[in-house]
Amino acid sequence: MARDVILATDGLTMEFKGFRAVNGVKLEVERGTIHALIGPNGAGKTTCFNLLTKFLIPTAGTIRYKDKDITGMRAADVARLGLVRSFQISAVFPHLTVTENVRIALQRRLRGDSFDFWRPEKVLRALDGEALALVEAVGLSDFADSLAVELSYGRKRALEIATTLALDPEMLLLDEPMAGMGHEDVDRTAQLIRRVSKDRTILMVEHNLSVVASLSDRITVLARGQVLAEGDYATVSKDPRVVEAYIGAGHA
Amino acid sequence: MADTAAIDVAPIAAALPTRRDDKALHRMIFVGIALLLIAAPLVLYPVYLMKVLCFALFALAFNLLLGYGGLLSFGHAAYFGMASYLCAYTAKHLGFTPELAILSGTATAAVLGLIFGSLAIRRQGIYFSMITLALAQMAFFFSLQAKFTGGEDGIQAVPRGNLFGVFSLADDRAMYAVVCVVFMAGMLLIYRIIHSPFGQVLKAIRDNEPRAISLGYRANQYKLAVFVLSATLAGLAGSTKAIVFQLASLTDVHWSMSGEVVLMTLVGGMGTVFGPIVGALVIVTMETYLAQFGAWVTIIQGCVFVLCVLLFREGIIGLVAKLIRKPL
């Protein structure tokens, strides 16, 4: 049975002055799945993530997205192909309103580049309806005209998700979506991720193995920059090397 | 992102969202400024007013880059000064009419902005500022050495000429009318840029560059575009000043001019629409009316600046905007 791979890396390596943060990682993400990349602290998850989103350029190896080599592409251009990332710290535009935050993403998707400095802002009002619908979808209607800087942490994350969804990406890369969240927020975010995963592929980096247990179809465990194990939760959680890596790291 | 912002350029005053009724308020202020410009020469010297207007336009152009692009250029004198040289040269030696001379000066600033900008935007934060300063210093030494600039003497006795070859600008009142039109046009253009689809992307990049990139915006192209726009408008201000004072000199390309425009913008209110105008008014007035104190002007200016930063970090207009809870 042929696997439908949307994102693949081969021999992905990132070296920082002699230290290999990511060492020959081979990763294959199947279309339409939720794939989790986990590992203890310092395993190279975030570096790996930054390589995939082109915020870092790998020292060796290739990255292919939809059978296209994107290894040398710029971050903004990868986003234009429908491969969109989130950030660990809630990434909003603090001095724009909630609606404007979402609209800026719609503006890119529907208008392309906006170098038209001579046109009035009015031309963007056509996007307001769709922006407000997205704002409502994440439960921020009451804050539509507030500045993003005034939102609480949880709401900023919701706004970030609405902004990302405005791009209607084919594949989402989530960087520790649950980082810094309380229990209730974790459940709510998990539901939100499951909801947006419909018709989309998601690759998420997570620190916590149990958080991704119910959510992911497939898990890749990284340790010291290399792939330690891969499979579904049942397989991975029983793997003695994984158990050792986690407990070893926990007691170090 | 330790190197993205060496200076906190997120403006405090402009943080208030602009709503539709705020735009009505802005329109009223624009009308008010126009009326003031008509009435002012009845009480004040036109030459002093023209100086204020030229520097106000310069500061507005600078604020477009700093307040809305989040980029602190420390070499804006290069665009202001080189434009004034080219304008003075074409008016005096090539016999250009004033509007053509101003256009050629402005175009020079645009080209210079494109070259310097494309080098500088490759770095961020303090490194960006240092590159703009270094490039501006090169422009200064070029002006000092090149033949056409007249070295230490500058280009003197530039003819004001006849506008469109018809209207003589020799009279200060005629000149004043032209400067008012240039100023109003420049100010309204900058207002439009800020409130355009382009301006919206610009503010997003200023607020969070990596996020804007992840949405698919090629941030560097936007930064370069606003850099060129800012340099061009600074050049328009410098060219106009050369015609008004019939002089282009090293003062206008000197690094202290770059510092002065930073001062005007900060005193008036960075990231506000009207702040730079007030800042320019304050600084030029101090220089003009305190001139009798000689070197003390610099010290008084320094004290004013320190007081400003200590008492109202958001500048005069920024403070007013905060008090009335409306973006200005």
Side-chain angles (χ1 to χ4, degrees), chain B residues 3 10 18 27 33 35 45 53 63 85 87 136 152 166 203 218-219 225 235 270 272 282-283 305 309 315 324 328:
Chain B
D3 63 339
T18 317
R27 249 188 306 261
I33 292 174
L35 292 176
Y45 294 114
L53 290 177
N63 182 51
Y85 273 126
C87 174
E152 302 270 2
V166 185
K203 284 178 239 176
R218 296 173 181 127
M270 164 179 83
T272 64
V282 170
I283 301 295
F305 183 57
V309 172
I324 63 170
L328 286 176

Side-chain angles (χ1 to χ4, degrees), chain A residues 49-50 53 55 83-91 157 160-161 164 171-178 193 202-205, chain B residues 210-211 214-215:
Chain A
F49 190 83
N50 282 330
T53 51
F55 275 66
L83 179 63
V84 176
R85 70 169 289 176
S86 75
F87 291 80
Q88 216 175 93
I89 39 160
S90 51
R157 294 232 73 143
E160 192 199 334
I161 291 168
T164 306
M171 179 166 182
L172 277 169
L173 298 167
L174 306 177
D175 191 6
E176 301 205 20
M178 318 289 192
I193 290 174
I202 293 182
L203 175 67
M204 57 192 274
V205 165
Chain B
R211 179 56 171 161
S214 84
L215 294 182

Side-chain angles (χ1 to χ4, degrees), chain A residues 23-235:
Chain A
N23 193 357
V25 167
K26 186 179 166 66
L27 188 72
E28 287 185 336
V29 182
E30 267 181 76
R31 194 187 296 270
T33 61
I34 300 183
H35 194 126
L37 192 61
I38 65 162
N41 271 333
K45 299 183 302 279
T46 299
T47 308
C48 202
F49 190 83
N50 282 330
L51 290 172
L52 292 174
T53 51
K54 318 307 305 157
F55 275 66
L56 284 175
I57 300 296
T59 28
T62 56
I63 306 168
R64 299 182 70 80
Y65 172 69
K66 292 204 277 183
D67 288 326
K68 191 176 153 112
D69 191 337
I70 60 163
T71 318
M73 279 177 81
R74 285 180 298 182
D77 297 328
V78 172
R80 286 170 187 223
L81 292 176
L83 179 63
V84 176
R85 70 169 289 176
S86 75
F87 291 80
Q88 216 175 93
I89 39 160
S90 51
V92 297
F93 303 112
H95 300 106
L96 300 185
T97 67
V98 166
T99 313
E100 283 174 331
N101 261 272
V102 177
R103 200 176 65 181
I104 202 85
L106 286 172
Q107 192 180 332
R108 223 281 295 131
R109 175 159 69 88
L110 300 173
R111 304 180 88 233
D113 267 316
S114 293
F115 287 107
D116 42 353
F117 61 81
W118 56 88
R119 281 209 185 86
E121 214 168 0
K122 266 184 239 154
V123 299
L124 296 178
R125 271 191 214 147
L127 307 176
D128 281 354
E130 199 173 335
L132 281 169
L134 282 157
V135 168
E136 201 184 328
V138 294
L140 289 177
S141 296
D142 291 345
F143 303 93
D145 286 330
S146 306
L147 289 174
V149 69
E150 292 162 358
L151 298 180
S152 69
Y153 183 78
R155 292 195 177 113
K156 275 188 190 139
R157 294 232 73 143
L159 174 58
E160 192 199 334
I161 291 168
T163 308
T164 306
L165 289 180
L167 289 179
D168 194 18
E170 204 172 337
M171 179 166 182
L172 277 169
L173 298 167
L174 306 177
D175 191 6
E176 301 205 20
M178 318 289 192
M181 279 190 187
H183 268 294
E184 279 171 41
D185 281 342
V186 167
D187 291 342
R188 215 158 41 100
T189 310
Q191 276 172 25
L192 195 59
I193 290 174
R194 195 168 291 127
R195 192 147 52 106
V196 305
S197 72
K198 216 171 154 282
D199 311 320
R200 290 198 179 89
T201 310
I202 293 182
L203 175 67
M204 57 192 274
V205 165
E206 238 327 312
H207 185 70
N208 191 330
L209 194 110
S210 64
V211 162
V212 297
S214 61
L215 210 54
S216 10
D217 303 303
R218 202 169 176 81
I219 297 172
T220 301
V221 185
L222 281 184
R224 297 202 192 91
Q226 285 173 306
V227 176
L228 193 66
E230 200 181 299
D232 57 16
Y233 178 70
T235 320

Side-chain angles (χ1 to χ4, degrees), chain B residues 167-184:
Chain B
F167 309 103
S168 168
L169 297 181
D171 184 72
D172 278 341
R173 278 168 304 179
M175 188 72 233
Y176 176 75
V178 173
V179 174
C180 282
V181 170
V182 169
F183 169 78
M184 285 302 289

